[in-house]
Amino acid sequence: MNHPHKQAVAQCRRCGKPLCEECYDPATGYCLHHCTPNGISSTEEQKGKKSVLLQVLIAILAIIGGLTVLLISICGALLLSY
């Protein structure tokens, strides 16, 4: 992956890219330069943070939407009861 002139000796267990001896960590089976010791690449970690923020935003918007529908239904019931 990083050294195309060298022969690959292993494949990263996390990202699946071919690795030469210089880039391969036999203790973890991961890339030395791209995958962190816990097995998550920095780009995947950033994507994970973005997806959590997106899920929180969607949950907040869903709660606001639900409260709006509830308020409209209560107001409609009060108006129709007179």
Side-chain angles (χ1 to χ4, degrees), residues 9-77:
V9 296
Q11 187 174 8
C12 178
R13 289 186 356 200
R14 181 67 186 149
C15 65
K17 295 181 180 172
L19 303 169
C20 67
E21 286 183 13
E22 186 179 333
C23 297
Y24 178 63
D25 182 11
T28 62
Y30 299 130
C31 306
L32 286 175
H33 306 292
H34 296 284
C35 294
T36 58
N38 64 2
I40 301 172
S41 69
S42 59
T43 55
E44 288 176 359
E45 188 175 330
Q46 290 174 355
K47 287 179 184 177
K49 288 179 183 178
K50 287 180 183 178
S51 71
V52 169
L53 289 175
L54 181 63
Q55 290 174 353
V56 169
L57 179 64
I58 290 171
I60 290 171
L61 290 174
I63 291 170
I64 290 172
L67 291 174
T68 303
V69 169
L70 179 65
L71 181 64
I72 290 172
S73 64
I74 289 172
C75 291

